[in-house]
Amino acid sequence: WFEKAAKQGHPEAILNMSFFHLEGLGGCSIDFRKASELAEKAKSIYPLLADKCHALLVTIAYRIRPDSSEAKSILLPLAEEGMAVAQNSLGVAMLNDAFEMKENNRCNAKAWFVAAALQGAEAAVWNIV
């Protein structure tokens, strides 16, 4: 049912299919790229699903490998949009010298931690210390 509804453009079905590809459910193979594309598509069709899509995209970034360029391509736009979880995750990755961006990683990481902490992200507060 979800696959048929997703093909017809139903945003919640598209989001469910994204989750299916993330977890390998409903006969879908695990495919992080497909999961990411579907989450972005659901968000573009129905912006009220943005929070659910963002949460799913951060989960996808963690499953891919938080220090990969593919994870960065997911986390950076979400962090720039102001999503605290993505900001904190990006900061952690930078602090661990991820994304082959060796210059100013500590400063950049701290900036993302502060941005997340200002939104009440407790984990980010601890990461500033």
Side-chain angles (χ1 to χ4, degrees):
W1 181 88
F2 287 119
E3 191 171 0
K4 184 177 179 181
K7 285 180 180 176
Q8 294 175 355
H10 190 278
E12 288 184 3
I14 294 169
L15 186 60
N16 283 330
M17 290 303 299
S18 176
F19 182 74
F20 288 177
H21 281 287
L22 174 66
E23 297 290 339
L25 299 173
C28 296
S29 60
I30 293 176
D31 185 338
F32 298 133
R33 186 177 309 271
K34 182 79 171 171
S36 177
E37 289 170 3
L38 288 168
E40 288 289 350
K41 183 176 180 181
K43 185 175 75 169
S44 70
I45 293 171
Y46 192 58
L48 293 177
L49 287 176
D51 287 343
K52 289 180 181 178
C53 294
H54 288 167
L56 189 59
L57 287 167
V58 170
T59 302
I60 292 166
Y62 275 114
R63 298 276 176 90
I64 291 172
R65 209 179 85 221
D67 63 343
S68 71
S69 60
E70 195 171 358
K72 180 185 175 189
S73 71
I74 292 171
L75 290 174
L76 186 58
L78 296 175
E80 289 172 342
E81 287 178 25
M83 185 181 186
V85 173
Q87 291 169 336
N88 186 58
S89 297
L90 191 60
V92 168
M94 288 180 164
L95 201 58
N96 292 316
D97 292 325
F99 309 138
E100 300 175 5
M101 297 172 43
K102 303 295 181 192
E103 329 171 333
N104 300 320
N105 267 2
R106 286 198 170 287
C107 293
N108 289 332
K110 186 173 182 178
W112 286 118
F113 292 146
V114 169
L118 289 172
Q119 295 182 65
E122 190 174 325
V125 173
W126 287 104
N127 286 328
I128 292 172
V129 177

